[in-house]
């Protein structure tokens, strides 16, 4: 019971932080699962992907209802991200076949790199947005979006990180959409990507259903509270603090 309560509490805290800061759940949850709850890295990745799938469904449905989703972009991204995710998962399975539990060290290194790269990008996101806000629309390239999806899908398959943060940043850099359309499109695509990734890991035994359920139980009220608090706290400073903590965590993973 104490362990279940701890998992629910982790879900609650992560839900609050996501609701308050908008920072992706993968980068916040994985370090806590691996370092705090001592979950094997490969199980943490699979469980995190499944957790992200369920938590993104309500937001995705809301954006579809509001009309802030470019369906063709979702299809283009998914055309790349699904095979990318399959490739990422297969690489993990190949490494596990060759090195056994050594796959967990590989995953920690990959996550450590992402925990340095993604928070760094998030710290400069506002400046990037200011530079591209008046940029003329880019020619919409199906192939280009497929490549973005392929790259992000591969990362998500290996680490469960990147379904939101990486794709959002790449879409921001290479395409011109309204911010709310960028967000809505990204979330709906993330439902597909994390759903496929979570299912693949589940079939391979890399998902702990009880862990996912406990996290979801905590994250739902946590997300509601975080959204309520978002207008009452200095979000910019909270975001900077979280990014700094993630950078430190990423460095620890690489040099542990």
């Amino acid at each position: 019971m104490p362990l279940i309560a701890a998992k629910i509490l982790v879900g609650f805290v992560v839900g609050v932080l996501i609701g308050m800061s908008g920072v992706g759940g993968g980068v916040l949850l994985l370090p806590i699962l691996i370092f705090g709850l001592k979950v094997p890295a490969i199980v943490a990745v699979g469980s995190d992907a499944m957790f992200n799938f369920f938590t993104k469904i309500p937001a995705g449905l809301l954006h579809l209802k509001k009309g802030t989703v470019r369906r063709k972009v979702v299809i283009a991204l998914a055309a790349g991200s699904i095979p990318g995710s399959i490739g990422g998962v297969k690489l993990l399975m190949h490494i596990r076949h060759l090195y056994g539990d050594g796959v967990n060290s590989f995953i920690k290194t990959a996550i450590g790199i992402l925990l340095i790269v993604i928070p760094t990008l998030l710290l400069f996101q506002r400046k990037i947005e200011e530079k591209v806000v008046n940029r003329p629309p880019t020619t919409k390239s199906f192939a280009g979006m497929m490549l973005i999806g392929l790259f992000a899908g591969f990362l998500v398959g290996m680490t469960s990180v990147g379904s939101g943060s990486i794709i959002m940043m790449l879409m921001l850099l290479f395409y011109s959409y309204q911010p709310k359309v960028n967000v809505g499109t990204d979330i709906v695509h993330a439902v597909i990507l994390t759903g496929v990734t979570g299912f693949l890991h589940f079939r391979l035994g890399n998902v702990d259903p009880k862990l996912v359920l406990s996290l979801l139980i905590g994250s739902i009220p946590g997300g509601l509270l975080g959204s309520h608090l978002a207008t009452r706290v200095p979000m910019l400073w909270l975001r900077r603090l979280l990014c700094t903590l993630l950078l430190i965590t990423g460095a620890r993973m690489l040099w542990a």
Side-chain angles (χ1 to χ4, degrees), residues 203-226:
R203 285 189 63 190
L204 293 165
N206 300 334
V207 175
D208 182 343
K210 291 182 180 179
L211 170 62
V212 174
L213 180 60
S214 298
L215 293 171
L216 288 171
I217 290 171
S219 71
I220 293 170
L224 292 172
L225 177 60

Side-chain angles (χ1 to χ4, degrees), residues 85-100:
S85 172
I86 293 171
V89 174
K90 283 190 174 182
L91 177 61
L92 287 186
M93 295 306 98
H94 180 66
I95 294 172
R96 183 161 71 176
H97 177 71
L98 292 177
Y99 302 105

Side-chain angles (χ1 to χ4, degrees), residues 119-201:
T120 302
L121 291 174
L122 290 174
L123 286 171
F124 291 99
Q125 182 175 351
R126 181 159 294 186
K127 290 184 178 180
I128 295 171
E129 288 175 345
E130 290 172 356
K131 285 188 176 182
V132 303
V133 67
N134 295 318
R135 183 181 60 189
T138 309
T139 301
K140 308 304 183 290
S141 166
F142 191 92
M145 291 178 185
M146 277 186 64
L147 286 174
I148 289 175
L150 182 67
F151 175 66
F154 184 72
L155 292 179
V156 171
M158 287 197 306
T159 66
S160 82
V161 175
S163 62
S165 49
I166 294 291
I167 289 180
M168 274 283 288
M169 193 59 64
L170 291 174
M171 291 292 288
L172 180 65
L173 289 172
F174 294 109
Y175 296 94
S176 296
Y177 294 110
Q178 291 179 309
K180 62 182 180 181
V181 173
N182 239 357
V183 171
T185 301
D186 173 69
I187 289 175
V188 170
H189 168 257
V191 172
I192 298 171
L193 176 54
T194 56
V196 170
T197 305
F199 176 71
L200 291 171
H201 278 291

Side-chain angles (χ1 to χ4, degrees), residues 56-71 180-181 183-185 187-188:
K56 289 180 186 295
I57 289 175
L61 291 173
L62 185 61
H63 278 285
L64 283 169
K65 185 177 179 181
K66 287 183 175 180
T68 52
V69 178
R70 293 287 179 93
R71 288 172 172 80
K180 62 182 180 181
V181 173
V183 171
T185 301
I187 289 175
V188 170

